Amino acid sequence: MAHQATPSSQKALMMELKSLQDQPVEGFRITLVEESDLYNWEVAIFGPPNTLYEGGYFKAHIKFPVDYPYSPPTFRFLTKMWHPNIYENGDVCISILHPPVDDPQSGELPSERWNPTQNVRTILLSVISLLNEPNTFSPANVDASVMFRKWRDSKGKDKEYAEIIRKQVLSTTAEAERDGVKVPTTLAEYCVQTRVPSQDSSSDLLYDDLYDDDMEEEEDDDDESDMESVGEAGGISGMEDGEMSTRCYDNQDDSGNEDS
């Protein structure tokens, strides 16, 4: 019986997952919700030091479509969040996660929306930037947006917004303890990149299967082409995501990651 080819989206996701586990983004832990399902990821986000979210442990799910990376994933917080750009159900409203369609009424430029060159790493960086620097022009949570502006414009004298965030941060302590996670509270701890060990060998087996699929496809291509094409077809090309340098950040500008 012929071996069924693996969808290209699964191959892309496996490569991204491996890259993020080998070279993590500071402040994040990435795992699969279920080891056999590459389309649903669980994300643990550590609140950056020197921000309102310092010491926080926030969980979220990323759900990928079958045609990824041509369509964007969804990003939903499981932890209750009070933020101008997060809906009550936890969905994050940010331009990078909006489909690449022409929508003049949204106020977004096409370049701000999703495109296939984006990846999970850029999404994570956009989300952490958005937490620290909300966009209040078209908020998902109007009340949180008004409260944030009062806190920002008063330079912290109006403490209502900050107090709500700190209460939410403190409420995540118990879950971090249950998960056996030590939440970083200093910049030095936050900058440490730690590989997340696989719970079992299934991830490695899945990666091997995907690699075998690629090798089989390449062998078929080699049979149909002359020897000059072998050098171009052989091997799995490395994704740019795996080659991206990671850096620790404190307070970045999110001007390129506006929500709507």
Side-chain angles (χ1 to χ4, degrees), residues 7 10 22 109 116 120 126 129 143 149 151 191 196 204 206 211-212 215 222 234 238 245 250 252-253:
Q10 287 192 23
D22 289 344
L109 297 174
V120 178
S126 297
S129 180
D143 293 336
R149 288 200 303 269
W151 172 79
C191 287
V196 179
D204 292 336
L206 181 56
Y211 183 81
D212 290 342
M215 293 300 293
D222 290 345
S245 61
D250 187 347
Q252 294 186 3
D253 178 19

Side-chain angles (χ1 to χ4, degrees), residues 107-129:
E108 295 176 336
L109 297 174
S111 60
E112 296 172 339
R113 289 177 170 251
W114 178 263
N115 67 70
T117 65
Q118 304 285 7
N119 52 48
V120 178
R121 195 178 296 271
T122 58
I123 293 172
L124 297 180
L125 293 174
S126 297
V127 168
I128 201 68
S129 180

Side-chain angles (χ1 to χ4, degrees), residues 2-16:
H3 184 74
Q4 186 174 0
T6 303
S8 60
S9 57
Q10 287 192 23
K11 296 179 183 179
L13 289 170
M14 192 66 238
M15 295 295 287
E16 285 202 53

Side-chain angles (χ1 to χ4, degrees), residues 34-255:
E34 295 182 4
E35 286 291 329
S36 60
D37 184 2
L38 278 170
Y39 292 97
N40 289 282
W41 295 15
E42 181 169 291
V43 182
I45 304 171
F46 301 129
N50 305 320
T51 72
L52 294 178
Y53 294 93
E54 177 179 318
Y57 176 64
F58 311 102
K59 285 187 172 181
H61 276 177
I62 305 179
K63 187 172 183 178
F64 299 89
V66 177
D67 62 346
Y68 178 86
Y70 300 102
S71 294
T74 59
F75 193 105
R76 173 175 290 185
F77 276 96
L78 305 180
T79 306
K80 188 173 181 61
M81 303 292 289
W82 180 254
H83 188 279
N85 307 121
I86 300 175
Y87 289 101
E88 187 175 353
N89 68 352
D91 284 346
V92 174
C93 183
I94 189 171
S95 296
I96 194 176
L97 295 178
H98 293 167
V101 296
D102 186 16
D103 184 7
Q105 295 183 349
S106 70
E108 295 176 336
L109 297 174
S111 60
E112 296 172 339
R113 289 177 170 251
W114 178 263
N115 67 70
T117 65
Q118 304 285 7
N119 52 48
V120 178
R121 195 178 296 271
T122 58
I123 293 172
L124 297 180
L125 293 174
S126 297
V127 168
I128 201 68
S129 180
L130 191 72
L131 284 181
N132 297 328
E133 295 289 338
N135 185 336
T136 59
F137 291 107
S138 54
N141 183 329
V142 176
D143 293 336
S145 179
V146 171
M147 199 177 294
F148 169 77
R149 288 200 303 269
K150 288 181 179 178
W151 172 79
R152 180 191 61 193
D153 296 344
S154 70
K155 300 186 183 303
K157 292 180 180 179
D158 190 308
K159 300 182 181 299
E160 188 176 12
Y161 181 80
E163 288 174 352
I164 290 178
I165 301 302
R166 292 311 301 167
K167 286 180 181 178
Q168 290 187 334
V169 167
L170 290 174
S171 70
T172 66
T173 303
E175 186 164 15
E177 292 176 352
R178 284 196 301 269
D179 291 349
V181 173
K182 184 182 183 301
V183 179
T185 56
T186 67
L187 195 60
E189 293 174 340
Y190 188 82
C191 287
V192 173
Q193 295 180 334
T194 305
R195 289 190 59 176
V196 179
S198 299
Q199 295 178 356
D200 52 41
S201 61
S202 57
S203 294
D204 292 336
L205 292 174
L206 181 56
Y207 179 75
D208 290 342
D209 288 343
L210 295 180
Y211 183 81
D212 290 342
D213 286 343
D214 281 349
M215 293 300 293
E216 290 178 7
E217 291 175 2
E218 288 166 7
E219 289 173 0
D220 291 341
D221 291 341
D222 290 345
D223 290 341
E224 296 174 0
S225 62
D226 59 25
M227 291 302 292
E228 292 180 358
S229 65
V230 172
E232 298 175 356
I236 298 178
S237 61
M239 294 184 65
E240 293 180 0
D241 176 49
E243 299 172 355
M244 290 177 62
S245 61
T246 56
R247 64 185 184 278
C248 201
Y249 41 85
D250 187 347
N251 216 359
Q252 294 186 3
D253 178 19
D254 69 339
S255 59

